[in-house]
Amino acid sequence: MITIEVTSVNIAYNKGTVSGVNVNFFATHEHQTINLNGYIPLTFEEYAPISSDIESLKDKVKDKVIDAIVGTEAE
């Protein structure tokens, strides 16, 4: 099982308007054999409904990470 921790949320602005949100995370396998870290960019519309629910935020990060891994072909 992989555990995801949200380490910070950075809100990006463009000319005084929120233009997006970067959710920084760290993920590790229970046996410490896999480690991931980085950030997942979200639109403000994706972020706003889950901003105060850390479990939903973790689930969103997990879904985006899985999509990125599955959608990437080995080179």
Side-chain angles (χ1 to χ4, degrees):
M1 178 158 107
I2 292 183
T3 303
I4 293 177
E5 293 181 33
V6 172
T7 57
S8 66
V9 175
N10 298 315
I11 299 174
Y13 292 90
N14 185 7
K15 298 180 182 176
T17 304
V18 174
S19 59
V21 178
N22 292 333
V23 180
N24 296 285
F25 74 95
F26 178 79
T28 187
H29 184 264
E30 63 185 315
H31 299 294
Q32 304 288 324
T33 57
I34 299 171
N35 293 306
L36 299 168
N37 66 61
Y39 72 92
I40 297 296
L42 301 177
T43 65
F44 188 71
E45 291 76 19
E46 289 176 300
Y47 174 73
I50 59 174
S51 63
S52 61
D53 183 357
I54 193 67
E55 293 305 317
S56 293
L57 200 51
K58 287 180 187 180
D59 288 342
K60 177 64 84 172
V61 168
K62 179 180 175 182
D63 292 343
K64 296 273 187 170
V65 168
I66 289 169
D67 288 347
I69 290 170
V70 171
T72 303
E73 295 183 24
E75 294 181 18

